[in-house]
Amino acid sequence: MTVEELPSTNEKIHPNILLNKEIIHDKTFKKRAFGGYDIDEVDGFLDLIIKDYRFIEEGLIKEIKMLKEDMKKLRGH
Amino acid sequence: MTVEELPSTNEKIHPNILLNKEIIHDKTFKKRAFGGYDIDEVDGFLDLIIKDYRFIEEGLIKEIKMLKEDMKKLRGH
């Protein structure tokens, strides 16, 4: 995967997370004439990973934001 | 991927996260006689995903735990 294929800074769901669900969904792989990986198995596995990235983005990252906001309020900022 | 291949409850890094870095690292795919996905490309892509899962496990999940503990202290529990 080339650096250009990785999300730019503002597309990143977190500075330390390399990929996002769109990159994984849109990722295409070269085909081999003989003996490559079974396409349906790889695609099915990546679908599970996309589900995880969706939860990480819409669940964990949001939970951290909310906890930090609550902390600020508790500290009276 | 069969349900048996998914992590059991106590192996899960979070109740809503289906996979973990060990499952992805150990995952093997059937080979097709003709025209499957390029093995090096798929393996390289999964290596990036494993890096993300490692950060999610050792970074995000821990950050949430620490924030929750700090909240408890602030609330005087």
Side-chain angles (χ1 to χ4, degrees):
Chain A
M1 183 157 214
T2 61
V3 176
E4 290 72 36
E5 289 179 287
L6 292 176
S8 62
T9 312
N10 54 12
E11 285 167 333
K12 284 194 159 198
I13 53 178
H14 183 285
N16 294 349
I17 294 179
L18 301 168
L19 302 174
N20 58 38
K21 58 184 186 294
E22 290 76 19
I23 295 269
I24 297 167
H25 178 270
D26 298 342
K27 176 64 182 165
T28 54
F29 300 104
K30 278 185 301 198
K31 299 279 176 43
R32 280 177 60 157
F34 303 100
Y37 280 147
D38 181 276
I39 291 173
D40 294 333
E41 275 203 0
V42 172
D43 289 349
F45 193 59
L46 289 176
D47 285 342
L48 292 178
I49 290 170
I50 287 169
K51 278 188 181 138
D52 276 351
Y53 273 79
R54 177 169 293 114
F55 171 71
I56 288 148
E57 195 172 327
E58 295 167 5
L60 289 189
I61 303 284
K62 276 197 181 138
E63 186 174 358
I64 288 174
K65 261 184 205 151
M66 280 165 45
L67 285 167
K68 284 180 177 175
E69 280 160 17
D70 290 350
M71 290 278 287
K72 266 189 197 166
K73 284 177 204 150
L74 275 172
R75 287 192 174 119
H77 292 298
Chain B
M1 184 159 214
T2 62
V3 176
E4 290 72 37
E5 290 179 287
L6 292 177
S8 63
T9 311
N10 53 13
E11 286 167 334
K12 283 194 160 200
I13 54 178
H14 184 287
N16 295 348
I17 294 179
L18 301 168
L19 303 175
N20 58 38
K21 59 185 184 297
E22 289 77 17
I23 295 269
I24 298 167
H25 178 270
D26 299 343
K27 176 65 182 164
T28 55
F29 300 104
K30 276 185 300 194
K31 300 278 179 42
R32 282 179 57 161
F34 305 100
Y37 281 147
D38 182 276
I39 290 173
D40 294 334
E41 274 204 359
V42 172
D43 288 349
F45 192 60
L46 290 176
D47 285 343
L48 291 178
I49 291 171
I50 287 168
K51 277 188 183 135
D52 276 351
Y53 273 79
R54 177 170 293 115
F55 171 71
I56 288 149
E57 196 173 325
E58 295 166 4
L60 290 189
I61 303 285
K62 275 197 183 139
E63 185 174 358
I64 288 175
K65 261 186 205 149
M66 279 165 45
L67 283 167
K68 285 181 175 174
E69 279 160 19
D70 290 350
M71 290 278 286
K72 266 190 198 165
K73 282 177 205 150
L74 275 172
R75 286 191 174 124
H77 292 294

